[in-house]
């Protein structure tokens, strides 16, 4: 006949069964709850899961990139990369546009009438509108703006459209390398009569050189659809004016003041001929 073990537990020890019934209760960590023997009925699933933290998957990471090009004074393309700030930026620019179309004192000025139809455009906006928009850009920062340009010395054999296509391909590669962990990337290009039908092919060409796991979509935007296309447009003109002026650092010169308004948002400016001209983290020059 097997004898019952007379071995006793040390004071304060807990049996394996008791380990299943120790829980945290309000007012005391590690207090002992009711044992299974004390329960009138077996614990339900809800009881067993009570207090267990729910683990949820993070939301998809969505990136929106807005592109534009300029044919003068340099052949140039720019991209503004948005993540969580895209909707906020779009709302801020739309609100400013609604304010500006009520600026009655500019009525009958041709550039202002164009602005009311097309919204913000750096080369056409009157100085009053331009000043308000650059002030807005300064307050939105830091954004993530990338610029790529050429003075045509590296590939003189290419025409303007072919050169812009090359610039777009190189810029898309740079941008996608920086957001390759995103789940979804939407590329929106400013409409261009001669390039609209080529944007998807340019993107496919860039993707051959970049490994991304993102789902890529490509579309063409119109003026005011979205409003934030104006960010890349203004960034290109502000940079080109500052560059042509000899990269001044004198606050008395408006080209420097405008450049300084967006400098904190410039992630990169690269020339096909000279390499990287400006990069985030470099001194404010």
């Amino acid at each position: 006949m097997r004898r019952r073990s007379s071995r006793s537990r040390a004071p304060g020890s807990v049996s394996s069964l008791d380990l299943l019934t120790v829980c945290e209760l309000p007012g005391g960590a590690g207090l002992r709850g009711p044992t299974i023997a004390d329960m009138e009925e077996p614990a339900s699933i809800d009881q067993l899961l009570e207090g267990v933290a729910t683990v949820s998957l993070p939301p998809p990471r969505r990136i929106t990139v807005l592109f534009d090009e300029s044919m003068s004074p340099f052949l140039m393309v720019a991209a503004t990369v948005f993540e969580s700030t895209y909707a906020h930026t779009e709302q801020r620019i739309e609100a400013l546009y609604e304010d500006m179309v009520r600026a009655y004192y500019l009525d009958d000025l041709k550039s202002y009438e164009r602005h009311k139809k097309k919204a913000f455009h750096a080369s056409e906006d009157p100085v009053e509108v331009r000043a308000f928009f650059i002030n807005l850009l300064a307050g939105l920062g830091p954004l993530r703006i990338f610029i790529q340009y050429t003075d045509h010395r590296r590939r003189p054999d290419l025409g303007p459209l072919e050169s812009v296509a090359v610039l777009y391909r190189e810029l898309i590669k740079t941008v996608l390398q920086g957001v390759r962990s995103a789940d979804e990337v939407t590329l929106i290009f400013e409409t261009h009569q001669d390039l609209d039908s080529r944007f998807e092919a340019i993107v496919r060409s860039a993707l051959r050189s970049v490994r991304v796991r993102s789902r890529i979509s490509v579309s063409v935007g119109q003026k005011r659809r979205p409003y934030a296309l104006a960010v890349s447009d203004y960034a290109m003109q502000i940079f080109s004016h500052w560059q042509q002026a000899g990269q001044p650092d004198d606050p008395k010169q408006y080209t420097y003041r405008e450049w300084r308004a967006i400098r904190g948002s410039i992630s990169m400016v690269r020339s096909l001929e000279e390499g990287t001209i400006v990069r985030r983290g470099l001194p404010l020059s």
Side-chain angles (χ1 to χ4, degrees), residues 151-200:
D151 61 15
H152 222 58
R153 285 184 290 122
R154 184 172 180 180
R155 293 296 306 271
D157 56 309
L158 297 179
L161 288 178
E162 288 74 18
S163 294
V164 168
V166 170
L167 290 171
Y168 264 134
R169 184 190 65 196
E170 296 305 306
L171 185 60
I172 292 166
K173 287 162 56 176
T174 297
V175 169
L176 291 180
Q177 285 170 352
V179 300
R180 58 181 177 271
S181 63
D183 299 287
E184 301 174 16
V185 179
T186 301
L187 309 179
I188 304 177
F189 295 84
E190 171 74 55
T191 185
H192 188 290
Q193 181 178 352
D194 298 313
L195 290 171
D196 286 356
S197 62
R198 302 174 63 176
F199 285 134
E200 289 191 3

Coordinates of all heavy atoms in Angstrom, one line a residue, residues 151-200:
D151 N 22.1 70.6 -66.4 CA 22.3 71.8 -67.3 C 22.6 71.3 -68.7 O 23.0 72.1 -69.5 CB 23.4 72.6 -66.7 CG 24.8 71.9 -66.6 OD1 24.9 70.8 -67.2 OD2 25.7 72.4 -66.0
H152 N 22.4 70.0 -69.0 CA 22.4 69.4 -70.3 C 23.9 69.1 -70.8 O 24.1 68.7 -71.9 CB 21.8 70.3 -71.3 CG 20.9 69.6 -72.3 ND1 19.9 68.8 -72.0 CD2 21.0 69.5 -73.7 CE1 19.3 68.3 -73.0 NE2 20.0 68.7 -74.1
R153 N 24.9 69.3 -69.9 CA 26.2 69.0 -70.3 C 26.5 67.5 -70.3 O 27.3 67.0 -71.2 CB 27.2 69.6 -69.3 CG 27.4 71.1 -69.5 CD 28.4 71.7 -68.6 NE 28.1 71.7 -67.2 CZ 28.8 71.1 -66.3 NH1 29.9 70.4 -66.6 NH2 28.3 71.2 -65.0
R154 N 25.9 66.7 -69.4 CA 26.2 65.3 -69.3 C 25.6 64.5 -70.5 O 26.3 63.6 -71.0 CB 25.7 64.7 -68.0 CG 26.0 63.3 -67.8 CD 25.7 62.8 -66.4 NE 26.0 61.4 -66.3 CZ 25.8 60.7 -65.2 NH1 25.3 61.3 -64.1 NH2 26.2 59.4 -65.1
R155 N 24.4 64.8 -70.9 CA 23.8 64.1 -72.0 C 23.3 65.1 -73.1 O 22.1 65.3 -73.3 CB 22.6 63.3 -71.5 CG 23.0 62.1 -70.6 CD 23.8 61.1 -71.4 NE 23.2 60.6 -72.6 CZ 22.4 59.6 -72.7 NH1 22.1 58.9 -71.6 NH2 21.8 59.2 -73.8
P156 N 24.2 65.8 -73.8 CA 23.8 66.8 -74.8 C 23.1 66.2 -76.0 O 22.4 66.9 -76.8 CB 25.1 67.4 -75.2 CG 26.1 66.4 -74.9 CD 25.7 65.7 -73.7
D157 N 23.2 64.8 -76.1 CA 22.5 64.1 -77.2 C 21.0 64.0 -77.0 O 20.3 63.7 -78.0 CB 23.1 62.7 -77.4 CG 23.1 61.9 -76.1 OD1 23.5 62.4 -75.0 OD2 22.6 60.7 -76.1
L158 N 20.5 64.2 -75.8 CA 19.1 64.0 -75.5 C 18.4 65.3 -75.6 O 18.9 66.4 -75.3 CB 18.9 63.5 -74.1 CG 19.5 62.1 -73.7 CD1 19.3 61.8 -72.3 CD2 19.0 61.1 -74.7
G159 N 17.1 65.2 -76.2 CA 16.3 66.4 -76.2 C 15.7 66.7 -74.8 O 15.9 65.9 -73.9
P160 N 15.0 67.8 -74.7 CA 14.4 68.2 -73.4 C 13.5 67.1 -72.8 O 13.7 66.8 -71.6 CB 13.7 69.5 -73.7 CG 14.3 70.0 -74.9 CD 14.8 68.9 -75.7
L161 N 12.6 66.5 -73.6 CA 11.7 65.6 -73.0 C 12.4 64.3 -72.6 O 12.1 63.7 -71.5 CB 10.6 65.2 -74.0 CG 9.5 66.3 -74.2 CD1 8.5 65.8 -75.3 CD2 8.8 66.7 -72.9
E162 N 13.4 63.9 -73.4 CA 14.2 62.7 -73.0 C 15.0 62.9 -71.8 O 15.1 62.1 -70.9 CB 15.1 62.3 -74.2 CG 14.4 61.7 -75.4 CD 13.6 62.7 -76.2 OE1 13.9 63.9 -76.1 OE2 12.7 62.3 -77.0
S163 N 15.5 64.1 -71.6 CA 16.3 64.5 -70.4 C 15.4 64.5 -69.2 O 15.8 64.0 -68.1 CB 17.0 65.8 -70.6 OG 17.9 65.8 -71.6
V164 N 14.2 65.0 -69.3 CA 13.3 65.0 -68.2 C 12.9 63.6 -67.8 O 12.8 63.3 -66.6 CB 12.1 65.9 -68.5 CG1 11.0 65.7 -67.5 CG2 12.4 67.4 -68.6
A165 N 12.7 62.8 -68.8 CA 12.4 61.4 -68.5 C 13.5 60.7 -67.7 O 13.3 59.9 -66.8 CB 12.1 60.6 -69.8
V166 N 14.8 61.0 -68.1 CA 16.0 60.4 -67.4 C 16.0 61.0 -65.9 O 16.2 60.2 -65.0 CB 17.3 60.8 -68.1 CG1 18.5 60.5 -67.2 CG2 17.3 60.0 -69.4
L167 N 15.7 62.3 -65.8 CA 15.7 62.9 -64.5 C 14.6 62.2 -63.6 O 14.8 61.9 -62.4 CB 15.4 64.4 -64.6 CG 16.6 65.2 -65.1 CD1 16.1 66.7 -65.4 CD2 17.8 65.2 -64.2
Y168 N 13.4 62.0 -64.2 CA 12.4 61.4 -63.4 C 12.8 60.0 -63.0 O 12.5 59.6 -61.8 CB 11.1 61.3 -64.3 CG 10.1 62.5 -64.0 CD1 9.5 63.2 -65.1 CD2 9.7 62.9 -62.7 CE1 8.6 64.2 -64.9 CE2 8.8 63.9 -62.5 CZ 8.3 64.5 -63.6 OH 7.4 65.6 -63.3
R169 N 13.3 59.2 -63.9 CA 13.7 57.9 -63.6 C 14.7 57.9 -62.4 O 14.6 57.1 -61.4 CB 14.4 57.2 -64.8 CG 14.7 55.7 -64.5 CD 15.5 55.2 -65.7 NE 16.8 55.8 -65.7 CZ 17.6 55.8 -66.8 NH1 17.3 55.1 -67.9 NH2 18.8 56.4 -66.8
E170 N 15.7 58.7 -62.4 CA 16.7 58.8 -61.3 C 16.1 59.2 -60.0 O 16.4 58.7 -59.0 CB 17.9 59.7 -61.7 CG 18.7 59.2 -62.9 CD 19.2 57.8 -62.8 OE1 19.9 57.5 -61.7 OE2 18.9 56.9 -63.6
L171 N 15.2 60.2 -60.1 CA 14.6 60.7 -58.9 C 13.6 59.7 -58.3 O 13.6 59.5 -57.1 CB 13.8 62.0 -59.2 CG 13.2 62.7 -58.0 CD1 14.2 63.1 -57.0 CD2 12.4 63.9 -58.4
I172 N 12.9 59.0 -59.1 CA 12.0 57.9 -58.6 C 12.8 56.8 -57.9 O 12.4 56.3 -56.8 CB 11.1 57.3 -59.8 CG1 10.2 58.4 -60.3 CG2 10.4 56.1 -59.3 CD1 9.5 58.0 -61.6
K173 N 13.9 56.5 -58.5 CA 14.8 55.5 -57.8 C 15.2 55.9 -56.4 O 15.2 55.2 -55.5 CB 16.0 55.2 -58.7 CG 15.7 54.4 -59.9 CD 16.8 54.5 -61.0 CE 18.1 54.1 -60.5 NZ 19.2 54.1 -61.6
T174 N 15.6 57.2 -56.4 CA 16.1 57.8 -55.1 C 14.9 57.7 -54.0 O 15.1 57.3 -52.9 CB 16.6 59.2 -55.2 OG1 17.7 59.2 -56.1 CG2 17.0 59.8 -53.9
V175 N 13.8 58.2 -54.5 CA 12.6 58.2 -53.5 C 12.2 56.8 -53.1 O 12.0 56.6 -51.9 CB 11.4 59.0 -54.2 CG1 10.2 58.8 -53.4 CG2 11.7 60.4 -54.4
L176 N 12.1 55.9 -54.0 CA 11.6 54.5 -53.7 C 12.6 53.8 -52.8 O 12.2 53.0 -51.9 CB 11.4 53.7 -54.9 CG 10.2 54.2 -55.8 CD1 10.0 53.3 -57.0 CD2 8.9 54.2 -54.9
Q177 N 13.9 54.1 -52.9 CA 14.9 53.5 -52.0 C 14.7 53.9 -50.6 O 14.9 53.2 -49.7 CB 16.3 53.9 -52.5 CG 16.8 53.1 -53.7 CD 18.1 53.7 -54.3 OE1 18.6 54.7 -53.9 NE2 18.7 53.0 -55.2
G178 N 14.2 55.2 -50.4 CA 14.0 55.7 -49.1 C 12.7 55.3 -48.5 O 12.5 55.4 -47.2
V179 N 11.7 54.8 -49.3 CA 10.4 54.3 -48.7 C 10.2 52.9 -49.0 O 9.0 52.5 -49.0 CB 9.3 55.2 -49.2 CG1 9.5 56.7 -48.8 CG2 9.1 55.1 -50.7
R180 N 11.2 52.1 -49.2 CA 11.0 50.7 -49.7 C 10.3 49.8 -48.7 O 9.8 48.7 -49.1 CB 12.3 50.1 -50.2 CG 13.4 50.0 -49.1 CD 14.7 49.4 -49.7 NE 15.7 49.4 -48.7 CZ 16.6 50.4 -48.6 NH1 16.5 51.5 -49.3 NH2 17.6 50.3 -47.7
S181 N 10.2 50.2 -47.5 CA 9.5 49.4 -46.5 C 8.0 49.7 -46.4 O 7.3 49.1 -45.6 CB 10.2 49.6 -45.1 OG 10.0 50.9 -44.6
A182 N 7.6 50.7 -47.1 CA 6.2 51.1 -47.1 C 5.3 50.0 -47.7 O 5.7 49.3 -48.6 CB 6.0 52.4 -47.8
D183 N 4.0 49.9 -47.2 CA 3.1 49.0 -47.8 C 2.5 49.4 -49.1 O 2.4 48.7 -50.0 CB 2.0 48.7 -46.8 CG 2.5 48.1 -45.5 OD1 2.9 47.0 -45.5 OD2 2.5 48.9 -44.5
E184 N 2.2 50.7 -49.2 CA 1.6 51.3 -50.4 C 2.3 52.6 -50.7 O 2.5 53.4 -49.8 CB 0.1 51.5 -50.2 CG -0.7 50.3 -49.9 CD -2.1 50.6 -49.5 OE1 -2.6 51.7 -49.9 OE2 -2.8 49.8 -49.0
V185 N 2.6 52.8 -52.0 CA 3.2 54.1 -52.4 C 2.4 54.6 -53.6 O 2.3 53.9 -54.6 CB 4.7 53.9 -52.8 CG1 5.3 55.2 -53.3 CG2 5.5 53.4 -51.7
T186 N 1.9 55.8 -53.5 CA 1.1 56.4 -54.6 C 2.0 57.5 -55.2 O 2.4 58.4 -54.5 CB -0.2 57.0 -54.1 OG1 -1.0 55.9 -53.5 CG2 -1.0 57.6 -55.2
L187 N 2.2 57.4 -56.5 CA 3.0 58.4 -57.2 C 2.1 59.2 -58.1 O 1.4 58.7 -58.9 CB 4.1 57.7 -58.1 CG 5.0 56.7 -57.4 CD1 5.9 56.1 -58.5 CD2 5.8 57.3 -56.3
I188 N 2.0 60.5 -57.8 CA 1.1 61.5 -58.5 C 2.0 62.5 -59.3 O 2.8 63.2 -58.7 CB 0.2 62.2 -57.6 CG1 -0.6 61.1 -56.8 CG2 -0.8 63.1 -58.4 CD1 -1.6 61.8 -55.8
F189 N 1.9 62.5 -60.6 CA 2.6 63.4 -61.4 C 1.8 64.6 -61.9 O 0.6 64.4 -62.2 CB 3.2 62.7 -62.7 CG 4.2 61.6 -62.3 CD1 3.7 60.3 -62.0 CD2 5.5 61.9 -62.4 CE1 4.6 59.3 -61.7 CE2 6.4 60.9 -62.1 CZ 6.0 59.6 -61.7
E190 N 2.4 65.8 -61.9 CA 1.7 66.9 -62.5 C 1.5 66.7 -64.0 O 2.4 66.2 -64.7 CB 2.6 68.2 -62.3 CG 2.1 69.4 -63.0 CD 0.9 70.0 -62.4 OE1 0.9 70.4 -61.2 OE2 -0.1 70.2 -63.2
T191 N 0.3 67.0 -64.5 CA 0.0 66.7 -65.8 C 1.0 67.4 -66.8 O 1.4 68.6 -66.6 CB -1.4 67.0 -66.2 OG1 -1.7 66.6 -67.5 CG2 -1.7 68.5 -66.1
H192 N 1.4 66.7 -67.9 CA 2.2 67.3 -68.9 C 1.8 66.6 -70.2 O 1.8 65.4 -70.4 CB 3.7 67.0 -68.6 CG 4.7 67.7 -69.5 ND1 4.8 67.4 -70.9 CD2 5.5 68.7 -69.3 CE1 5.7 68.1 -71.4 NE2 6.2 69.0 -70.5
Q193 N 1.4 67.5 -71.2 CA 0.9 67.0 -72.4 C 1.7 65.9 -73.1 O 1.2 64.9 -73.6 CB 0.7 68.1 -73.4 CG 0.0 67.8 -74.7 CD -0.2 69.0 -75.6 OE1 0.0 70.1 -75.2 NE2 -0.6 68.7 -76.8
D194 N 3.0 66.1 -73.0 CA 3.9 65.1 -73.8 C 4.4 64.0 -72.9 O 5.1 63.1 -73.4 CB 5.1 65.9 -74.3 CG 4.7 66.9 -75.4 OD1 3.9 66.6 -76.2 OD2 5.2 68.1 -75.3
L195 N 4.2 64.0 -71.6 CA 4.7 63.0 -70.7 C 3.7 62.2 -70.0 O 4.0 61.1 -69.5 CB 5.6 63.7 -69.6 CG 6.9 64.3 -70.0 CD1 7.5 65.1 -68.9 CD2 7.9 63.2 -70.5
D196 N 2.4 62.6 -70.0 CA 1.4 61.8 -69.3 C 1.3 60.4 -69.7 O 1.2 59.5 -68.8 CB 0.0 62.5 -69.6 CG -0.2 63.8 -68.8 OD1 0.7 64.2 -68.1 OD2 -1.3 64.4 -69.1
S197 N 1.5 60.1 -71.0 CA 1.4 58.7 -71.5 C 2.7 57.9 -71.2 O 2.7 56.7 -71.4 CB 1.1 58.7 -73.0 OG 2.2 59.3 -73.7
R198 N 3.7 58.6 -70.7 CA 5.0 57.9 -70.5 C 5.3 57.7 -69.0 O 6.3 57.0 -68.7 CB 6.1 58.8 -71.1 CG 5.9 59.0 -72.6 CD 7.0 59.9 -73.2 NE 8.3 59.4 -73.1 CZ 9.4 60.1 -73.6 NH1 9.2 61.2 -74.2 NH2 10.6 59.5 -73.5
F199 N 4.6 58.3 -68.1 CA 4.9 58.2 -66.7 C 5.0 56.7 -66.2 O 5.9 56.4 -65.4 CB 3.9 59.0 -65.8 CG 4.1 60.5 -65.9 CD1 3.0 61.3 -66.1 CD2 5.4 61.0 -65.8 CE1 3.2 62.7 -66.2 CE2 5.6 62.4 -65.9 CZ 4.5 63.2 -66.1
E200 N 4.0 55.9 -66.6 CA 4.0 54.5 -66.1 C 5.3 53.8 -66.6 O 5.9 53.0 -65.9 CB 2.8 53.8 -66.5 CG 1.5 54.2 -65.8 CD 0.3 53.3 -66.0 OE1 0.5 52.3 -66.8 OE2 -0.8 53.6 -65.5

